[in-house]
């Protein structure tokens, strides 16, 4: 089921929740909404579920405009961050509730409840009261309750936030596998970049109620379109730009005392900064090129197992560089090294 959001706007007490939101989620896709708290992710999910109505715009499931439909008319499964379980019911009864409401026969209900509870590793607890479960166990009941109805659209609001690290990874992969098998169009809200990148087909990054970039995880990582996106994704070096101009088959940018040459296409908006990934730079004791080779001082080292993180500095310019660990290649602190930045590795960032 394809989802289309067209010019969607909603305000809370005069404050923008989402503004002119336009998005298309493809049928069977697991789409992530990623951003900090208060950016509009959950508001978007609530608009999709029908819990709130937009002030402007429309929501389409396929070719049908479902904007005015009530939640129970949308065939949507939703997992809330706050669980929203029935405390007086058992685990089995909570998971079964949606099937009862849909008139599913008893035998089929039992089979589907068992399958859902096995998925979230709670089958032995099906007769326990949810009030006796830990927070993480309650969250897994909520996941099972959403999945058991095999919805047309699945909405997940921080579904793994209360699980420990091992179960978070395991349950996330199981959710992904089930979503693929059933082909359920899914919108997945999270503030966890690693979680979104590991699970989602595409991701929309939100800020202040607006989508600021949409793309596959690898594309967002390799080519952030703005300074805000690069800062939120992290794992990159941000270099301030004082001046930038076209030069030859690329451009030159001034950052502090250094002039850097790049070849990537400049954004249409003014360039605010440059980004370069830590693993795309190289260190050497001698200059390997006259272009983009900076003499810097090693200010710190951090062992990361297979990799070594080297911090270098020249005045106010600080960079972190990742290189494969080799005992003979780790520079000493306070030593001077040449840092080479390939021109194609410099990413110009719009404001």
């Amino acid at each position: 089921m394809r989802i289309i959001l067209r010019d969607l706007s909603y305000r809370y007490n005069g404050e923008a929740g989402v503004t002119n939101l336009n998005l298309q989620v493809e049928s069977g896709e697991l789409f992530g909404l990623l951003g900090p708290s208060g950016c509009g992710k959950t508001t978007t999910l609530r608009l999709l579920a029908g819990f709130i109505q937009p002030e402007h715009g429309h929501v389409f499931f396929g070719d049908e405009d479902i904007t005015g439909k009530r939640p129970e008319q949308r065939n949507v499964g939703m997992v809330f961050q706050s669980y929203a379980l029935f405390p007086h019911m058992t685990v089995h009864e909570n998971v079964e509730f949606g099937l009862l409401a849909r008139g599913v026969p008893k035998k089929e209900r039992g089979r589907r409840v068992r399958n859902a509870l096995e998925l979230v590793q709670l089958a032995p607890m099906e007769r326990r009261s949810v009030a006796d479960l830990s927070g993480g166990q309650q969250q897994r009941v909520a996941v099972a309750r959403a999945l058991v109805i095999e919805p047309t659209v699945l909405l997940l609001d921080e579904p793994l936030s209360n699980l420990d690290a091992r179960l978070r990874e395991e349950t996330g992969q199981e959710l992904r596998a089930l979503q693929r098998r059933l082909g359920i169009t899914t919108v997945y809200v999270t503030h966890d970049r690693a979680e979104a990148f590991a699970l989602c087909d595409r991701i929309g990054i939100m800020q202040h109620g607006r989508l600021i970039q949409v793309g596959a995880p690898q594309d967002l990582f390799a080519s952030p379109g703005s300074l805000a996106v690069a800062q939120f994704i992290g794992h990159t070096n941000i270099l301030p730009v004082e001046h930038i101009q076209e030069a030859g088959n690329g451009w030159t940018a001034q950052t502090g005392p250094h002039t850097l040459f790049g070849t990537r296409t400049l954004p249409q908006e003014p360039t605010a900064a440059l980004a370069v990934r830590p693993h795309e730079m190289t260190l050497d004791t001698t200059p390997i090129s006259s272009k983009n080779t900076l003499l810097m001082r090693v200010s710190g080292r951090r062992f990361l197992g297979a990799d070594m993180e080297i911090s270098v500095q020249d005045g106010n310019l600080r960079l972190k560089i990742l290189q494969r660990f080799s005992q003979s290649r780790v520079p000493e602190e306070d030593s001077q090294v040449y840092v080479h930045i390939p021109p194609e590795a410099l990413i110009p960032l719009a404001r």
Side-chain angles (χ1 to χ4, degrees):
M1 179 68 72
R2 184 181 58 201
I3 298 171
I4 299 174
L5 306 182
R6 189 173 293 164
D7 300 326
L8 215 58
S9 294
Y10 182 85
R11 291 180 297 173
Y12 291 100
N13 299 322
E15 297 291 328
V18 296
T19 304
N20 296 330
L21 193 62
N22 287 280
L23 174 67
Q24 182 165 312
V25 179
E26 300 302 331
S27 181
E29 184 176 29
L30 199 165
F31 187 90
L33 286 175
L34 178 65
S37 297
C39 71
K41 307 185 301 294
T42 297
T43 299
T44 303
L45 220 59
R46 289 170 61 81
L47 287 164
L48 279 170
F51 296 134
I52 55 177
Q53 291 294 323
E55 296 179 7
H56 303 285
H58 298 269
V59 178
F60 292 85
F61 284 0
D63 295 327
E64 182 183 6
D65 187 341
I66 54 91
T67 308
K69 285 195 170 184
R70 297 188 302 275
E72 64 272 17
Q73 298 174 311
R74 299 190 180 200
N75 194 29
V76 166
M78 185 161 181
V79 177
F80 301 89
Q81 188 177 6
S82 59
Y83 316 138
L85 300 174
F86 301 111
H88 61 286
M89 291 184 180
T90 65
V91 170
H92 182 103
E93 289 168 340
N94 266 276
V95 176
E96 185 185 38
F97 185 82
L99 300 178
L100 277 168
R102 286 162 173 78
V104 176
K106 183 176 181 180
K107 186 176 180 180
E108 176 68 4
R109 292 201 308 268
R111 182 188 67 81
R112 286 165 64 173
V113 169
R114 283 193 300 274
N115 287 345
L117 289 175
E118 286 173 2
L119 174 67
V120 297
Q121 302 181 22
L122 285 180
M125 300 183 180
E126 66 174 326
R127 299 302 171 190
R128 290 180 60 176
S129 168
V130 294
D132 296 331
L133 302 182
S134 68
Q137 290 168 335
Q138 290 180 1
Q139 185 73 315
R140 283 186 277 156
V141 174
V143 171
R145 186 178 62 181
L147 294 175
V148 77
I149 64 171
E150 298 181 359
T152 302
V153 172
L154 181 62
L155 307 177
L156 304 174
D157 188 4
E158 305 275 5
L160 309 178
S161 59
N162 290 319
L163 303 183
D164 61 40
R166 181 184 65 82
L167 278 176
R168 178 179 297 182
E169 181 177 355
E170 186 176 321
T171 304
Q173 293 303 321
E174 290 172 342
L175 273 173
R176 178 56 169 153
L178 185 67
Q179 185 270 339
R180 280 187 182 276
R181 178 170 64 82
L182 298 177
I184 304 173
T185 305
T186 302
V187 179
Y188 190 108
V189 160
T190 181
H191 66 274
D192 189 314
R193 180 197 59 82
E195 189 175 288
F197 275 44
L199 299 179
C200 298
D201 296 311
R202 288 190 305 144
I203 296 168
I205 297 181
M206 295 193 71
Q207 184 182 56
H208 306 310
R210 297 179 182 271
L211 274 174
I212 57 175
Q213 190 171 352
V214 176
Q218 60 269 29
D219 295 333
L220 293 174
F221 183 83
S223 301
S226 67
L227 178 58
V229 172
Q231 288 174 328
F232 183 78
I233 291 175
H235 298 288
T236 193
N237 294 285
I238 305 293
L239 289 68
V241 169
E242 297 161 15
H243 178 69
I244 192 166
Q245 64 182 21
E246 294 185 4
N249 59 347
W251 42 264
T252 58
Q254 194 72 28
T255 175
H258 304 288
T259 300
L260 298 174
F261 175 73
T263 56
R264 292 206 187 198
T265 303
L266 292 173
Q268 292 184 347
E269 298 179 10
T271 301
L274 303 175
V276 59
R277 299 293 176 190
H279 63 278
E280 295 187 308
M281 295 177 284
T282 56
L283 292 175
D284 215 321
T285 55
T286 57
I288 59 174
S289 169
S290 58
K291 262 183 188 173
N292 293 5
T293 298
L294 315 178
L295 181 60
M296 305 187 79
R297 179 180 64 85
V298 176
S299 57
R301 307 179 302 175
R302 192 158 67 109
F303 178 61
L304 301 176
D307 295 317
M308 197 78 180
E309 181 185 82
I310 311 295
S311 298
V312 294
Q313 182 175 353
D314 178 33
N316 292 326
L317 180 62
R318 296 177 173 85
L319 301 173
K320 291 186 184 297
I321 300 164
L322 279 182
Q323 63 178 32
R324 301 301 289 179
F325 175 69
S326 171
Q327 193 72 45
S328 61
R329 293 181 58 225
V330 178
E332 296 293 331
E333 288 198 31
D334 288 324
S335 64
Q336 287 193 318
V337 292
Y338 288 96
V339 178
H340 178 64
I341 307 175
E344 65 275 11
L346 286 167
I347 306 169
L349 302 172
R351 294 189 187 280

